[in-house]
Amino acid sequence: MEVSELVEDRGLVGVLRFADEALRLAAERCPTWGLSQEQVGEAVGLAQRVRDAAQVITAVSAGEAHSRGLAAAEGLSAADWLRTQAPTLDPREAPGVAKVAAAMTEPRWAALAAKVTSGATSVAQAAMIVRFHADLARIADPEHLQAVVDAMVEVSDVLSARELARVAAHGRASMRPPADLADEDRAMRAGRAFKKIGETAGFIDYLLRLDPEAAAVIEAAIDPLARPRPDLDWGGDTTADPRRPETRRADALLEIVGRGVAAPEGVTRTPRTQLVVTMTMEALLERLRGAGVCDNDAVLSPATVRRLACEAAIIPMVLGGRSQVLDQGYTERYFTPAQRRALTRRDGGCTFPGCTVPPQWCDAHHVTHWADGGRTDLANGALLCGRHHTVVHERGMTATVTTTAVTWHR
């Protein structure tokens, strides 16, 4: 029976069942030792072509599922639905296959769909192109983006995946913002992205893309926490911070997130990140053209600065007024906001010797632990950054607290 007759007779599912059984039987019963050198190489190449063809059929079938809404009907994402149907599908490949499947149902991707269906362009390459378009659609000039995407589709059948990735990188670098934006700040915010992109040696890799405003907020929050901090070795000597800069920044990000989700009783333990913006009053009021410059040299528009200023909270430095209890005693475990402000005024930041972490990124630590009967008041409180809070607990360190200072005993 000819291949065309087999396809017509059995249909797609029947042919796939036949191929699956035939390939598994061939792997089990056909010895490779009797193959010539040319046949060994041909077998490897043909096996890869079979795999590529199988991926194409996966994408085409997933496209049909997308058009019928099968994933949504089961309350699943397209990638998760694919994995329920094909448990052996690599989790890192599933989102790309799902994107290609959805794109193949759209008329604007007809040229790419034709190349994928014919096997001229791999599913992985098609996923790269579709992802490129999705990532830049909100922040790039539409005509420029479409021209780059069309060029990528045109050469996708002659370039390797690595070469196509290089084209994509050049395309990203050359991309222009939309020429007719009425609200450029709004468009920039819409282009923010935070996504998981893969795994490396057991670690999870993420991609974070931010506009200048968001980058300034992140850096203003992370920089104070990412500075090198002194530590103590087991012999009691001060040593240099052993962490690399990128590790310090990752630790800082985790500390920020930890503080946000671990706030007791709905009240955050630290105030909002303070973002320092330098600009003239005239520019802020839009009496003349100008912009704000952050500490990290990011440039913010006057409209953005005014919006951030609306969210600022100003706390007077007069403490101990009516309804602000500074000695909360043993009945409550957590220091109140008023107590934290008093500790901030007294300690000025982390009290560990040599540490320069500012007070807004410190914990209010019980010198005599709360579980051991320590009171939640200023005489038993001390500010410590997250790293040195851990050091103090691990070493069982104690301190002398006065009305003006905290002295740690090594």
Side-chain angles (χ1 to χ4, degrees), residues 29-63:
R29 299 187 181 181
C30 294
T32 56
W33 57 264
L35 299 177
S36 66
Q37 182 174 333
E38 291 76 12
Q39 287 176 324
V40 170
E42 186 178 7
V44 171
L46 287 172
Q48 186 61 39
R49 289 183 61 182
V50 168
R51 180 182 183 276
D52 293 341
Q55 283 193 317
V56 171
I57 294 177
T58 299
V60 171
S61 302

Side-chain angles (χ1 to χ4, degrees), residues 48-274:
Q48 186 61 39
R49 289 183 61 182
V50 168
R51 180 182 183 276
D52 293 341
Q55 283 193 317
V56 171
I57 294 177
T58 299
V60 171
S61 302
E64 181 65 25
H66 175 79
S67 64
R68 298 187 188 187
L70 299 185
E74 296 184 19
L76 298 173
S77 67
D80 287 342
W81 184 88
L82 276 174
R83 294 190 61 197
T84 61
Q85 307 304 315
T88 59
L89 180 63
D90 191 328
R92 293 169 295 183
E93 295 180 1
V97 175
K99 287 182 181 294
V100 173
M104 293 178 72
T105 64
E106 300 179 24
R108 64 175 174 175
W109 292 108
L112 180 62
K115 288 196 171 187
V116 171
T117 304
S118 67
T121 297
S122 71
V123 173
Q125 289 173 305
M128 191 184 306
I129 296 173
V130 174
R131 189 181 296 113
F132 174 88
H133 181 273
D135 287 348
L136 299 176
R138 291 187 175 184
I139 62 176
D141 178 76
E143 293 184 1
H144 185 191
L145 176 59
Q146 191 59 51
V148 174
V149 169
D150 289 344
M152 293 176 67
V153 172
E154 184 177 353
V155 300
S156 62
D157 55 348
V158 295
L159 297 182
S160 66
R162 178 175 296 181
E163 291 169 335
L164 189 62
R166 191 175 298 119
V167 171
H170 284 293
R172 289 178 185 274
S174 68
M175 204 57 62
R176 298 186 300 269
D180 57 350
L181 281 179
D183 184 353
E184 189 169 342
D185 287 341
R186 174 185 55 78
M188 291 289 284
R189 291 193 295 273
R192 295 171 182 171
F194 178 50
K195 60 183 180 180
K196 185 186 298 184
I197 59 175
E199 299 182 11
T200 303
F203 289 89
I204 309 300
D205 296 326
Y206 289 89
L207 173 66
L208 178 64
R209 183 180 63 224
L210 300 175
D211 58 293
E213 172 199 338
V217 172
I218 288 290
E219 292 180 22
I222 286 180
D223 284 351
L225 287 174
R227 296 169 185 163
R229 308 185 204 176
D231 201 349
L232 289 177
D233 63 20
W234 292 106
D237 297 326
T238 301
T239 59
D241 193 327
R243 299 172 299 167
R244 298 173 298 168
E246 55 268 31
T247 303
R248 297 200 305 269
R249 287 192 291 270
D251 289 345
L253 178 60
L254 289 173
E255 189 162 346
I256 292 169
V257 174
R259 289 173 185 277
V261 300
E265 299 178 5
V267 179
T268 56
R269 292 187 290 176
T270 59
R272 290 175 59 90
T273 298
Q274 294 182 357

